[in-house]
Amino acid sequence: MASVAVIDYGMGNLHSVAKALEHVKPGEQVWVTNDPERILAADRVILPGVGAIRDCMGEIRRLGFDKLVAEVVASGKPLLGICVGIQLLTDFSEENGGYPCLGVLPGKAHFFGNTLQDQQGNKLKVPHMGWNQVSQSRAHPLWQGISDNSRFYFVHSYYIHASQPEMVVGRCHYGLDFDVALSHNNVFAVQFHPEKSHDAGLQLLRNFLHWDGQP
């Protein structure tokens, strides 16, 4: 029986992710766990995240999960980053005065700023919270069955700019254009919450549970 491990490092609503996974593929073994052996034994791994980057990275390093994530990446098994998970996988975040991250996906997380405006000059609220369209920059197995410009649910104050454009598989606009889905080899990461994004989000999770880690 296939299994997926949701890495529990004490940050985020992990059980909503687990319930969504169980819903889209009944019978899948879903483990919310901080046990390195169980994480490495799983067929697929999810790195979630909610909260400040300094707190998340502090717990990840304290638990030795920085090395664990590197081992998962090197193993070739599919890894999905969600929300702050995508920021954790990049090189650096501007949050908390600037903080180094895991360096799996070259890029940085930037603050939207306090003067963000729409095209009519109206001030936009930060954090970016709610539904927004995601344009698919290129084809990927995790987009299967999901229409281009489908809407997903976001909650974030920092946005990703990837250093390597070929990694970008999804983009969004909120006062500015930014990267919301990155992929490199067996790693796929999204800024939005698929578990809160209704049909499109559930389809992405379903695709992940069938993905072999190949681009």
Side-chain angles (χ1 to χ4, degrees):
M1 185 179 293
S3 59
V4 56
V6 181
I7 300 178
D8 181 4
Y9 56 97
M11 308 293 291
N13 185 3
L14 311 184
H15 292 283
S16 63
V17 175
K19 287 185 179 299
L21 293 167
E22 292 167 351
H23 173 75
V24 299
K25 194 176 179 185
E28 185 87 3
Q29 293 187 85
V30 181
W31 305 327
V32 176
T33 179
N34 61 5
D35 181 350
E37 291 186 4
R38 175 159 273 200
I39 292 167
L40 292 173
D43 297 301
R44 293 170 180 80
V45 177
I46 292 181
L47 177 66
V50 174
I53 203 78
R54 178 176 55 200
D55 296 337
C56 291
M57 281 302 305
E59 283 302 290
I60 285 172
R61 291 205 168 102
R62 182 183 71 82
L63 295 166
F65 284 0
D66 49 345
K67 298 180 180 65
L68 179 67
V69 169
E71 193 169 347
V72 170
V73 173
S75 74
K77 69 180 62 182
L79 171 67
L80 175 64
I82 293 177
C83 192
V84 173
I86 191 175
Q87 298 181 20
L88 292 168
L89 289 168
T90 64
D91 296 315
F92 185 84
S93 173
E94 290 182 349
E95 191 174 7
N96 302 127
Y99 215 81
C101 300
L102 295 171
V104 173
L105 300 171
K108 294 182 179 180
H110 302 275
F111 182 45
F112 274 119
N114 297 313
T115 59
L116 196 65
Q117 297 181 340
D118 64 17
Q119 293 179 340
Q120 289 72 43
N122 300 309
K123 185 175 181 180
L124 292 172
K125 293 181 179 180
V126 176
H128 171 216
M129 181 182 298
W131 295 87
N132 208 335
Q133 290 182 318
V134 172
S135 62
Q136 298 172 18
S137 307
R138 62 177 173 86
H140 190 279
L142 265 67
W143 290 140
Q144 184 177 351
I146 301 173
S147 299
D148 192 15
N149 295 314
S150 290
R151 296 170 68 83
F152 292 85
Y153 188 79
F154 290 82
V155 182
H156 62 123
S157 299
Y158 292 78
Y159 67 91
I160 297 297
H161 177 72
S163 301
Q164 299 177 4
E166 64 272 17
M167 293 191 318
V168 180
V169 293
R171 305 204 80 212
C172 190
H173 183 86
Y174 186 70
L176 50 83
D177 293 324
F178 57 98
D179 305 327
V180 297
L182 305 180
S183 182
H184 181 64
N185 296 331
N186 56 312
V187 180
F188 194 97
V190 295
Q191 181 64 70
F192 51 81
H193 285 273
E195 77 280 8
K196 298 179 180 179
S197 297
H198 294 178
D199 292 344
L202 293 177
Q203 182 62 40
L204 187 142
L205 292 176
R206 185 177 293 110
N207 291 340
F208 175 68
L209 293 180
H210 289 91
W211 185 39
D212 62 2
Q214 298 299 310

